Amino acid sequence: MRLLRLSVLAAAVLAVAGVASPSRAAVNVMTTTEDLADLTRQVGGDRVNVESIARGYQDPHFVEAKPSFILKLSKAQLLVVVGRELEIGWLPALIQQSRNARIQVGAQGYLDASLTARILEIPTSQITRAMGDVHPQGNPHYWLDPGNGRHVAKAIADKLSKMVPGDAAYFASRYADFDKRLAEAEKRWAAVMAPYKGLKVVTYHRSWPNFADRFGLDVIGYVEPRPGIPPSPAHTIDLIAEMKRQGVRILIVEPYFDLKTPNSIARETGAQVVVLTPSVGGEKDITDYVKLFDYDLDLLVKAIKQTGAK
Ligand SMILES: [Zn+2]
């Protein structure tokens, strides 16, 4: 009798442990960018350990493939990537050298976030990397539309739920909470940008088509002749003439580009250079995805007001 009681007790303890254990083990997630890391944290909460390979202040096209990432990738259960060849210059070697079957391209632990996002600038003719264009699969900077951030967060929540079905309700409720906070922020941002609909801007790299589309900006030119190709004197002269013709007052530059050409364009045209950060972590105040837009829109509106651009 005593023995029976003990075995019943043992079975009960095991049952409790069995129920509790799936929610205790956090999923090891690696992401290529800090934006994806934050979206993973938003929906994954304390059930995920997340780390990004690229830092938010780096040009995501060109990241140093440090060997320390190989070890981290070898332990990852999930790898979330931006896709559209954004990481093609540095990620494939890291994935291969990790020898981690779970996160190889096409495996269960590989999530291409671009698959559920709205992608702009998909080329209609064949573009090869030999032409130097770093956007041959459409524009990979799609996370700069909060609508796409929502799609990506959902895709990550769904993936985590498949991996840990016992925590599916937790991920779903985290996603619902994120969705609600993002929707509130989107209303705020729409109101802030409403007076500037159709405002003409120039950007250094083609990082901002989704951002421009969402917030009503009209990008009329780029400092780079093609995505990934440094400015040339001939292109810069043409750009200055076009900016003067259209009265462009705002020149958006990503933090990792040299300001020499943008500053000389600004001198010639009377435009203001505005350094906007494309990623979470690019500035110390940008600690999450919602704050990224708060930060950039605040800087942009200040510059618009200063220049009297309309
Ligand atoms: Zn790019």
Side-chain angles (χ1 to χ4, degrees):
M1 191 65 193
R2 192 183 165 79
L3 199 65
L4 182 66
R5 258 198 225 130
L6 271 178
S7 61
V8 167
L9 187 67
V13 166
L14 280 175
V16 168
V19 168
S21 62
S23 57
R24 298 273 159 121
V27 181
N28 265 332
V29 185
M30 288 295 288
T31 66
T32 54
T33 67
E34 292 203 54
D35 309 288
L36 295 176
D38 182 65
L39 293 172
T40 304
R41 254 176 235 120
Q42 297 291 340
V43 297
D46 60 9
R47 314 283 159 91
V48 292
N49 293 319
V50 196
E51 195 179 331
S52 165
I53 297 174
R55 300 268 74 89
Y57 51 79
Q58 290 179 308
D59 182 342
H61 285 289
F62 305 100
V63 174
E64 197 195 342
K66 286 190 201 147
S68 57
F69 294 126
I70 297 169
L71 182 65
K72 285 170 179 170
L73 284 169
S74 73
K75 295 173 182 165
Q77 292 163 280
L78 175 62
L79 170 64
V80 188
V81 308
V82 172
R84 301 280 156 171
E85 297 200 357
L86 179 77
E87 304 101 335
I88 201 163
W90 50 276
L91 186 63
L94 289 176
I95 294 180
Q96 197 202 353
Q97 287 166 45
S98 77
R99 297 172 187 271
N100 180 349
R102 289 181 295 205
I103 58 154
Q104 299 296 313
V105 178
Q108 277 303 306
Y110 179 92
L111 179 59
D112 179 344
S114 75
L115 296 180
T116 54
R118 193 167 72 98
I119 305 299
L120 302 177
E121 301 179 347
I122 293 175
T124 47
S125 60
Q126 183 76 24
I127 290 180
T128 67
R129 290 184 71 84
M131 298 161 81
D133 193 318
V134 292
H135 294 171
Q137 302 286 328
N139 194 288
H141 304 275
Y142 58 82
W143 69 87
L144 285 161
D145 173 355
N148 275 337
R150 176 180 282 106
H151 292 314
V152 171
K154 180 74 167 64
I156 295 169
D158 289 348
K159 172 60 81 175
L160 290 170
S161 299
K162 268 196 198 126
M163 295 174 75
V164 194
D167 281 340
Y170 175 82
F171 298 133
S173 107
R174 298 266 322 179
Y175 170 73
D177 180 59
F178 172 70
D179 174 42
K180 190 165 154 247
R181 281 183 290 117
L182 188 62
E184 283 162 8
E186 282 174 302
K187 273 188 213 153
R188 190 169 77 234
W189 299 329
V192 162
M193 290 303 291
Y196 312 112
K197 209 149 203 63
L199 183 91
K200 287 174 178 170
V201 302
V202 161
T203 75
Y204 194 106
H205 180 75
R206 283 185 186 242
S207 305
W208 310 92
N210 292 86
F211 184 90
D213 186 64
R214 164 54 78 107
F215 297 113
L217 303 174
D218 180 8
V219 185
I220 66 110
Y222 309 91
V223 178
E224 289 179 334
R226 297 180 80 96
I229 304 292
S232 68
H235 176 75
T236 301
I237 288 166
D238 289 347
L239 181 64
I240 288 169
E242 192 58 23
M243 286 174 73
K244 282 180 175 168
R245 197 177 70 78
Q246 300 204 39
V248 177
R249 292 272 189 246
I250 298 291
L251 173 48
I252 297 173
V253 181
E254 299 80 353
Y256 32 77
F257 291 118
D258 194 283
L259 285 173
K260 197 169 156 254
T261 303
N263 283 341
S264 75
I265 293 170
R267 273 195 301 276
E268 291 288 325
T269 59
Q272 185 169 329
V273 171
V274 193
V275 178
L276 296 188
T277 301
S279 279
V280 171
E283 288 289 337
K284 66 171 174 16
D285 293 339
I286 310 176
T287 49
D288 67 33
Y289 186 72
V290 168
K291 289 201 179 97
L292 172 64
F293 296 97
D294 282 337
Y295 181 93
D296 282 338
L297 291 174
D298 185 50
L299 277 184
L300 182 61
V301 167
K302 274 184 188 146
I304 293 171
K305 284 178 177 165
Q306 276 171 16
T307 57
K310 40 181 172 325

